[in-house]
């Protein structure tokens, strides 16, 4: 959890305890009131870990395995002009 996440958690806990309003928490954290309500709901269900992005430390869902990427580059390399090869290489995720 980063320092930014910890700061958000402190503001949300103050709002949950009623020390500050949701509007004040939104201003303090820099989010909308609606997002504060959404974060408070997730905080109730999952605790402090709810503020961290779900894919942090995990592989992207869009990542293409190395074999598939290499095969796609070979096919594109045969079909594309030389100027388009680098473009195609940059557009394949992974």
């Amino acid at each position: 959890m980063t320092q930014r996440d910890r700061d958000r958690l402190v503001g949300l806990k103050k709002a949950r305890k009623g020390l500050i309003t949701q509007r004040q928490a939104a201003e303090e954290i820099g989010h909308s009131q609606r997002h504060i309500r959404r974060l408070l709901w997730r905080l109730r269900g999952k605790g402090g870990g709810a503020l961290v992005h779900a894919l942090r430390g995990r592989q992207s869902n869009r990542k293409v395995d190395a074999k598939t990427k290499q095969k796609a580059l070979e096919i594109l390399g045969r079909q594309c002009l030389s100027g388009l090869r680098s473009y195609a290489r940059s557009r394949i995720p992974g």
Side-chain angles (χ1 to χ4, degrees), residues 57-80:
R58 295 177 55 200
Q59 189 177 35
S60 170
N61 291 331
R62 293 183 50 149
K63 185 157 177 95
V64 177
D65 64 58
K67 284 183 181 179
T68 306
K69 182 178 180 179
Q70 185 60 36
K71 189 170 183 176
L73 288 174
E74 287 173 10
I75 292 169
L76 286 171
R78 283 185 256 136
Q79 295 176 353
C80 293

Side-chain angles (χ1 to χ4, degrees), residues 3-16 20-40 43 51:
Q3 184 61 44
R4 182 174 173 234
D5 293 335
R6 284 188 220 106
D7 293 340
R8 289 170 62 190
L9 183 61
V10 169
L12 288 171
K13 283 186 175 182
K14 284 195 271 184
R16 187 177 65 186
I20 61 175
T21 64
Q22 289 180 3
R23 175 181 281 172
Q24 290 169 333
E27 291 172 3
E28 184 178 311
I29 295 172
H31 290 296
S32 68
Q33 291 180 49
R34 172 69 184 105
H35 192 60
I36 294 299
R37 285 192 294 275
R38 189 179 307 122
L39 288 173
L40 284 171
L43 187 63
L51 302 180

